[in-house]
Amino acid sequence: MAWRQIITNTRIVSLPQTNSTPGFSRFFSKSPAYIVKVGIPEFLNGIGKGVEAHTAKLESEIGDFQKLLVTRTLKLKKMGIPCQHRKLILNYAHKYRVGLWRPRDDLVKTK
């Protein structure tokens, strides 16, 4: 009986503390929707490091930025994109999907 009271009391006491912890909810919230439209050229320019040389090839083969975000290594390899550039494109695509990275605003051209 005493254990049940201790457990219920600690639950009641601990619940307000977890909600009032500053910054706690930010780890579990969704990434914000970006207002500025990002296309393949802006995405590749944001990555830099020579990846922007493949802009024309990726636009003609893939066409859509959302398709680029889910493209796999083998498809990029068949297009003739070097290994280091494939790795950069796939790493930054994953970071963009998760919401950890996006091209800088000054690189993105608003249409």
Side-chain angles (χ1 to χ4, degrees):
M1 182 70 178
W3 285 105
R4 185 180 299 167
Q5 289 176 345
I6 292 172
I7 292 172
T8 55
N9 287 340
T10 57
R11 283 185 192 163
I12 293 170
V13 171
S14 66
L15 285 178
Q17 291 175 351
T18 58
N19 291 338
S20 64
T21 305
F24 182 74
S25 64
R26 71 177 176 172
F27 294 113
F28 302 106
S29 63
K30 292 183 178 180
S31 60
Y34 300 126
I35 299 171
V36 179
K37 177 145 172 61
V38 176
I40 293 176
E42 293 86 9
F43 181 75
L44 296 178
N45 286 335
I47 295 173
K49 301 176 185 172
V51 178
E52 58 273 1
H54 307 291
T55 303
K57 190 184 305 182
L58 287 172
E59 279 190 320
S60 65
E61 297 276 337
I62 295 176
D64 186 26
F65 178 64
Q66 295 302 320
K67 289 181 186 176
L68 177 65
L69 291 178
V70 295
T71 302
R72 298 196 176 229
T73 308
L74 194 58
K75 189 168 186 176
L76 295 175
K77 186 175 183 178
K78 288 180 181 178
M79 286 184 216
I81 297 175
C83 181
Q84 280 294 347
H85 291 174
R86 286 196 306 263
K87 287 167 107 176
L88 285 170
I89 291 170
L90 294 172
N91 281 336
Y92 279 92
H94 176 69
K95 290 176 186 179
Y96 183 85
R97 278 195 316 259
V98 176
L100 296 176
W101 177 85
R102 67 176 180 155
R104 293 195 331 242
D105 290 335
D106 59 347
L107 294 176
V108 176
K109 300 174 185 174
T110 56
K111 295 180 180 179

